[in-house]
Amino acid sequence: MSEQPVNEVEKKDVPTAPPMELDAELVLEPIPEQPQDPTKMAIEERLPEEIDLGDPELYFNRELSHLQFNARVLEQAMDENHPILNRLMFLCIFSSNMDEFFEIRVAGLKSQLEYSREKNGPDGMHPKKVLNLISEHAHKLVRRQYRILNDIIFPKLAEENVQFIRRTLWTDKQSNWVRRYFRDNVLPIISPIGLDPAHPFPRLANKTFNFVVELEGRDAFGRENGLAIVPAPSSLPRLVKLPDDVSEGGDNMVFLSSIIHAHADQLFPGMTVKGCYQFRLTRNADLEVDSDDIGVDLAGALRTELQSRHYGSSVRLEIAENCPDHIVSSLLKQFDLEQQDLYQIDGPVNLSRLMAVLELVDRPDLMYSPFSPGLPRKLASAGGLFEAIRQRDYLLMHPFESFSPVIDLLSEAAKDPNVVAIRQTLYRTGARSPIANALVEAARNGKEVTVVIELRARFDEAENLALASRLQDAGAIVVYGVVRHKTHAKMILIVRREGNNLTRYVHLGTGNYHAGNARLYTDYSFMTCNKEIGDDVHRVFQQLTGMSKELKVKKLLHAPFTLRNRLLEMIDREAKNAQNGDPSRIIIKVNSLTEQKLVQALYKASQAGVKIDLIVRGICTLRPGIKGISSNIRVRSIIGRFLEHTRVYYFYNNRNPEVYLSSADGMDRNLNNRIEVAFPLQDYKQVRRVKKELEYYLTDNTQSWILQSDGSYQLSKPRKGEYRSAQRALLSELADSTRQS
């Protein structure tokens, strides 16, 4: 998910909910459990002391929970509090999310079965069972997606004079224009492939747009074969806007699929086209770079693997629902897929391409109202960022507050003659981004620039390889982190000569150094010149760029070394406080929560009486609300205009609160297999601020989905006049102003 603030609209007496004719309860379905042992009592009926905290009944399945997150994203397309073009955007995001889900998660499960490497998760469910349930739920979601598109979104857009015109409704003027467009732009580059022994089935790349055409007749060589494949050129837009002179006002668009379909006969002169059906094949797109085979060149190994990404094993076939059964069966056989891998759709394949509408249509009245991110006044002063940070630490929350100070800090450092060195981690940023430009400038100005680039950031590998080459060409030192551990920490270290001393300036964040995402994702940025934090960041960079034993850090928590164990210790401390009758509280906000020891520690704290609030946007395997086990745990997911991305760990600590912000989610991969950092807030005002912002999320009753003990999610329903939205509150409080603090 896979990501601008909700505009202020008139409040309604009840939250917008899907109408019943579109199966409003779909998203609320419980997550299926592993069939229960008939000899064992249901977990709800057992005494707490009789329950093993490793019992599979205490865990939801990771993949099915992931699907439920995608379902909550889809439901945003039904929420009338979002402007109509942004509701379309959520449909597109859902489509993109589902693509990645199949490319990575479904593909991974299929690989387990193919190579007999089946591995059950904490929920105990076999991968084959998981795949069957994924197919069942994904088919429901996809059918719902297209019903929303056809029955809700398209008609509402048509009411606003934004129309997608079917080929059967083209006027003569429009038909003539489309014919010329096909002749001049499509026909010269399209390559139809008739299937016969000399023309085998083409090797289709992952997610490419294709047509299967049923033909009748003999060609010039006397060949008589019933099928042809027409790959749609990737260089052509999937959506074409008609000029005003062939339309009667408004914004009128046609799909490339309609253009090709209408002129399919011109691709096969003299043949009869009996049918033309669009389809798309999804393949395994997960890169597998074996660390034992990398040798001395990770970049080279990755470049080699990238070449094969587009042709992994097949995992899903999407095809027009009117395609005849015999053709569908032929394609399934060709791609070695089963019936449960088939998705017959009522509309264009790959709805994520509809995102182009936001660029083609100039209708700001149909989109979120723009806003200007806020900025603390002292950071905007003429004295410069080094002077401001030397006086105090700064905490920013994007996108409500500006990301520009982060870029400006690097830009100032690149030009400042007193800056001698810059070190930074990069995960997703872009080879031509403002961050990259500042680092290039710094290197060219003679600074010692060292950049740790994580080449294996999924689907950004090629961009990161290009970024690495650009930085190296500028004279920067580029390293790729640690082979068996992805570098996911977000750190900048700037060393500046001040008098006879060297001062370390630090930026730490919960999100990537990506200016575009900083307008769409919620994330924290922290800037300081605190000596202990600076020393810690220096040591972490030493570990990343050199080779050494584990280096002790004083303030930071560092995965895979100290972060998980310290989190477990702080959870246990809250449990002991509760047992001793002292006040206790835990609030954790993450994208996903799956790490089993972390979940078990939270169960134990709940049993001890600790009140625990978990704000988990996406995957959550913890099962709340089980009497005697998790009855003190409440889990909610916030889905709205911005993608929730902050990671916050709050512990009441017997009236002396500790707050850590982190790059790490509560997942096994983050806590055990990645380079991550969590950093403490030591200014009590900042601690109180973050606690207040967490309370906005805990009291949200318009975009908050509450996880039930059966795995279903229930949308919060505000009473009349009691509407609370965390994202709107943060916009109101932090954006559109230059504040004193």
Side-chain angles (χ1 to χ4, degrees), residues 605-632:
S606 171
Q607 289 178 308
V610 181
K611 181 181 178 183
I612 302 171
D613 280 294
L614 306 176
I615 307 164
V616 185
R617 185 197 75 212
I619 305 165
C620 182
T621 59
L622 178 147
R623 186 176 176 185
I626 302 298
K627 184 178 179 180
I629 300 295
S630 57
S631 51
N632 287 314

Side-chain angles (χ1 to χ4, degrees), residues 357-567:
V357 175
L358 305 184
E359 300 296 329
L360 292 173
V361 175
D362 186 17
R363 290 293 302 274
D365 57 309
L366 303 182
M367 298 181 66
Y368 293 134
S369 300
F371 72 101
S372 297
L375 184 66
R377 181 165 297 171
K378 290 183 179 179
L379 275 181
S381 65
L385 287 167
F386 291 116
E387 176 62 28
I389 297 169
R390 193 159 54 245
Q391 294 178 13
R392 52 163 290 190
D393 297 343
Y394 283 89
L395 181 66
L396 302 174
M397 189 181 193
H398 316 303
F400 316 108
E401 294 177 292
S402 177
F403 187 71
S404 62
V406 181
I407 299 172
D408 293 344
L409 181 64
L410 278 175
S411 296
E412 277 191 34
K415 298 177 178 67
D416 190 334
N418 294 317
V419 169
V420 296
I422 300 173
R423 296 176 183 175
Q424 182 168 7
T425 59
L426 291 177
Y427 195 79
R428 303 185 196 274
T429 191
R432 299 287 169 181
S433 67
I435 293 286
N437 293 342
L439 292 170
V440 166
E441 182 183 8
R444 289 175 175 167
N445 287 343
K447 316 296 183 189
E448 295 293 330
V449 177
T450 303
V451 184
V452 181
I453 299 180
E454 180 47 70
L455 293 183
R456 295 160 297 173
R458 185 175 291 146
F459 298 121
D460 280 287
E461 299 95 344
E463 187 74 20
N464 284 355
L465 284 166
L467 172 61
S469 295
R470 186 181 179 216
L471 289 170
Q472 288 168 333
D473 290 345
I477 298 171
V478 176
V479 297
Y480 305 133
V482 181
V483 168
R484 292 177 177 84
H485 294 78
K486 281 188 178 181
T487 303
H488 194 249
K490 324 300 181 185
M491 305 183 296
I492 297 174
L493 177 64
I494 298 171
V495 183
R496 187 171 188 263
R497 189 175 300 282
E498 297 177 352
N500 295 323
N501 300 314
L502 292 176
T503 302
R504 294 186 175 114
Y505 291 84
V506 169
H507 173 272
L508 297 166
T510 65
N512 297 306
Y513 291 108
H514 193 293
N517 287 352
R519 292 299 300 263
L520 304 173
Y521 294 18
T522 69
D523 271 308
Y524 280 112
S525 274
F526 179 67
M527 294 186 287
T528 184
C529 63
N530 177 277
K531 186 180 185 306
E532 289 181 313
I533 289 180
D535 290 346
D536 282 357
V537 172
H538 170 72
R539 291 188 179 96
V540 175
F541 272 113
Q542 277 187 301
Q543 284 191 317
L544 286 172
T545 61
M547 298 185 70
S548 67
K549 296 288 187 180
E550 178 186 347
L551 298 176
K552 299 297 183 183
V553 292
K554 295 181 179 179
K555 295 294 183 179
L556 300 186
L557 305 180
H558 181 201
F561 304 110
T562 62
L563 177 53
R564 188 188 69 168
N565 288 343
R566 182 57 182 151
L567 288 176

Side-chain angles (χ1 to χ4, degrees), residues 267-401:
L267 301 174
F268 307 95
M271 306 288 286
T272 299
V273 175
K274 296 176 63 178
C276 180
Y277 313 99
Q278 57 178 314
F279 73 94
R280 188 173 73 131
L281 177 68
T282 305
R283 296 182 180 272
N284 184 335
D286 202 9
L287 293 184
E288 295 184 8
V289 181
D290 191 333
S291 58
D292 294 329
D293 297 334
I294 288 173
V296 295
D297 187 7
L298 174 60
L302 195 58
R303 287 190 181 95
T304 300
E305 187 67 21
L306 278 171
Q307 296 173 6
S308 61
R309 160 175 275 173
H310 300 299
Y311 299 100
S313 58
S314 305
V315 295
R316 175 182 61 168
L317 175 64
E318 299 166 282
I319 194 165
E321 66 176 6
N322 63 337
C323 184
D325 290 344
H326 69 279
I327 297 179
V328 171
S329 297
S330 175
L331 291 175
L332 287 174
K333 183 178 180 181
Q334 175 65 40
F335 301 131
D336 195 23
L337 292 173
E338 301 177 6
Q339 192 68 30
Q340 72 174 13
D341 305 316
L342 172 68
Y343 291 78
Q344 295 172 295
I345 60 173
D346 181 19
V349 297
N350 192 6
L351 291 188
S352 61
R353 289 299 192 100
L354 279 175
M355 197 75 83
V357 175
L358 305 184
E359 300 296 329
L360 292 173
V361 175
D362 186 17
R363 290 293 302 274
D365 57 309
L366 303 182
M367 298 181 66
Y368 293 134
S369 300
F371 72 101
S372 297
L375 184 66
R377 181 165 297 171
K378 290 183 179 179
L379 275 181
S381 65
L385 287 167
F386 291 116
E387 176 62 28
I389 297 169
R390 193 159 54 245
Q391 294 178 13
R392 52 163 290 190
D393 297 343
Y394 283 89
L395 181 66
L396 302 174
M397 189 181 193
H398 316 303
F400 316 108
E401 294 177 292

Side-chain angles (χ1 to χ4, degrees), residues 144-174:
R144 179 170 177 80
Q145 176 190 26
Y146 280 92
R147 291 184 66 188
I148 293 173
L149 178 70
N150 294 321
D151 299 346
I152 304 292
I153 303 300
F154 279 167
K156 286 189 176 294
L157 284 171
E159 292 174 7
E160 301 290 348
N161 270 335
V162 177
Q163 303 191 71
F164 302 83
I165 306 178
R166 297 177 179 268
R167 59 192 176 90
T168 56
L169 300 178
W170 293 344
T171 65
D172 290 342
K173 281 185 176 181
Q174 291 168 342

